[in-house]
PDB file of all heavy atoms in Angstrom:
ATOM      1  N   SER A 117     -23.170  66.626  27.513  1.00  0.00           N
ATOM      2  CA  SER A 117     -23.884  67.866  27.173  1.00  0.00           C
ATOM      3  C   SER A 117     -22.926  69.050  27.179  1.00  0.00           C
ATOM      4  O   SER A 117     -22.989  69.929  26.317  1.00  0.00           O
ATOM      5  CB  SER A 117     -25.015  68.136  28.168  1.00  0.00           C
ATOM      6  OG  SER A 117     -25.920  67.065  28.169  1.00  0.00           O
ATOM      7  N   GLU A 118     -22.037  69.059  28.178  1.00  0.00           N
ATOM      8  CA  GLU A 118     -21.073  70.163  28.265  1.00  0.00           C
ATOM      9  C   GLU A 118     -20.146  70.190  27.055  1.00  0.00           C
ATOM     10  O   GLU A 118     -19.837  71.246  26.506  1.00  0.00           O
ATOM     11  CB  GLU A 118     -20.246  70.039  29.549  1.00  0.00           C
ATOM     12  CG  GLU A 118     -21.044  70.401  30.791  1.00  0.00           C
ATOM     13  CD  GLU A 118     -20.305  70.095  32.079  1.00  0.00           C
ATOM     14  OE1 GLU A 118     -19.086  69.853  32.022  1.00  0.00           O
ATOM     15  OE2 GLU A 118     -20.955  70.101  33.136  1.00  0.00           O
ATOM     16  N   LEU A 119     -19.709  69.019  26.647  1.00  0.00           N
ATOM     17  CA  LEU A 119     -18.815  68.960  25.483  1.00  0.00           C
ATOM     18  C   LEU A 119     -19.545  69.437  24.225  1.00  0.00           C
ATOM     19  O   LEU A 119     -18.954  70.103  23.367  1.00  0.00           O
ATOM     20  CB  LEU A 119     -18.263  67.543  25.284  1.00  0.00           C
ATOM     21  CG  LEU A 119     -17.325  67.020  26.379  1.00  0.00           C
ATOM     22  CD1 LEU A 119     -16.800  65.633  26.013  1.00  0.00           C
ATOM     23  CD2 LEU A 119     -16.154  67.958  26.591  1.00  0.00           C
ATOM     24  N   VAL A 120     -20.815  69.082  24.117  1.00  0.00           N
ATOM     25  CA  VAL A 120     -21.601  69.518  22.961  1.00  0.00           C
ATOM     26  C   VAL A 120     -21.743  71.044  22.999  1.00  0.00           C
ATOM     27  O   VAL A 120     -21.598  71.724  21.991  1.00  0.00           O
ATOM     28  CB  VAL A 120     -22.987  68.836  22.948  1.00  0.00           C
ATOM     29  CG1 VAL A 120     -23.883  69.451  21.868  1.00  0.00           C
ATOM     30  CG2 VAL A 120     -22.838  67.336  22.716  1.00  0.00           C
ATOM     31  N   ARG A 121     -21.965  71.581  24.199  1.00  0.00           N
ATOM     32  CA  ARG A 121     -22.105  73.024  24.350  1.00  0.00           C
ATOM     33  C   ARG A 121     -20.824  73.736  23.892  1.00  0.00           C
ATOM     34  O   ARG A 121     -20.855  74.757  23.205  1.00  0.00           O
ATOM     35  CB  ARG A 121     -22.402  73.352  25.817  1.00  0.00           C
ATOM     36  CG  ARG A 121     -22.816  74.783  26.024  1.00  0.00           C
ATOM     37  CD  ARG A 121     -22.777  75.100  27.510  1.00  0.00           C
ATOM     38  NE  ARG A 121     -23.268  76.440  27.735  1.00  0.00           N
ATOM     39  CZ  ARG A 121     -24.477  76.712  28.188  1.00  0.00           C
ATOM     40  NH1 ARG A 121     -25.302  75.752  28.485  1.00  0.00           N
ATOM     41  NH2 ARG A 121     -24.851  77.966  28.342  1.00  0.00           N
ATOM     42  N   MET A 122     -19.659  73.149  24.290  1.00  0.00           N
ATOM     43  CA  MET A 122     -18.375  73.720  23.863  1.00  0.00           C
ATOM     44  C   MET A 122     -18.282  73.745  22.338  1.00  0.00           C
ATOM     45  O   MET A 122     -17.881  74.737  21.735  1.00  0.00           O
ATOM     46  CB  MET A 122     -17.203  72.895  24.407  1.00  0.00           C
ATOM     47  CG  MET A 122     -16.903  73.118  25.865  1.00  0.00           C
ATOM     48  SD  MET A 122     -15.730  71.886  26.466  1.00  0.00           S
ATOM     49  CE  MET A 122     -14.238  72.457  25.669  1.00  0.00           C
ATOM     50  N   ALA A 123     -18.668  72.606  21.730  1.00  0.00           N
ATOM     51  CA  ALA A 123     -18.556  72.499  20.273  1.00  0.00           C
ATOM     52  C   ALA A 123     -19.466  73.526  19.595  1.00  0.00           C
ATOM     53  O   ALA A 123     -19.091  74.149  18.598  1.00  0.00           O
ATOM     54  CB  ALA A 123     -18.903  71.082  19.835  1.00  0.00           C
ATOM     55  N   VAL A 124     -20.665  73.705  20.160  1.00  0.00           N
ATOM     56  CA  VAL A 124     -21.606  74.678  19.588  1.00  0.00           C
ATOM     57  C   VAL A 124     -21.012  76.087  19.664  1.00  0.00           C
ATOM     58  O   VAL A 124     -21.022  76.840  18.683  1.00  0.00           O
ATOM     59  CB  VAL A 124     -22.970  74.610  20.319  1.00  0.00           C
ATOM     60  CG1 VAL A 124     -23.846  75.799  19.930  1.00  0.00           C
ATOM     61  CG2 VAL A 124     -23.683  73.298  20.005  1.00  0.00           C
ATOM     62  N   GLU A 125     -20.452  76.420  20.850  1.00  0.00           N
ATOM     63  CA  GLU A 125     -19.881  77.758  21.015  1.00  0.00           C
ATOM     64  C   GLU A 125     -18.718  77.993  20.055  1.00  0.00           C
ATOM     65  O   GLU A 125     -18.528  79.086  19.538  1.00  0.00           O
ATOM     66  CB  GLU A 125     -19.428  77.971  22.469  1.00  0.00           C
ATOM     67  CG  GLU A 125     -20.582  78.151  23.450  1.00  0.00           C
ATOM     68  CD  GLU A 125     -21.415  79.409  23.180  1.00  0.00           C
ATOM     69  OE1 GLU A 125     -20.963  80.287  22.421  1.00  0.00           O
ATOM     70  OE2 GLU A 125     -22.548  79.496  23.719  1.00  0.00           O
ATOM     71  N   LYS A 126     -17.937  76.942  19.825  1.00  0.00           N
ATOM     72  CA  LYS A 126     -16.817  77.096  18.888  1.00  0.00           C
ATOM     73  C   LYS A 126     -17.359  77.302  17.481  1.00  0.00           C
ATOM     74  O   LYS A 126     -16.936  78.196  16.754  1.00  0.00           O
ATOM     75  CB  LYS A 126     -15.911  75.854  18.948  1.00  0.00           C
ATOM     76  CG  LYS A 126     -14.956  75.754  17.781  1.00  0.00           C
ATOM     77  CD  LYS A 126     -13.542  75.452  18.182  1.00  0.00           C
ATOM     78  CE  LYS A 126     -12.574  75.768  17.065  1.00  0.00           C
ATOM     79  NZ  LYS A 126     -12.691  74.936  15.896  1.00  0.00           N
TER      80      LYS A 126
END
Side-chain angles (χ1 to χ4, degrees):
Chain A
S117 301
E118 287 172 14
L119 294 183
V120 171
R121 191 193 184 102
M122 284 169 72
V124 168
E125 287 296 346
K126 165 133 197 293

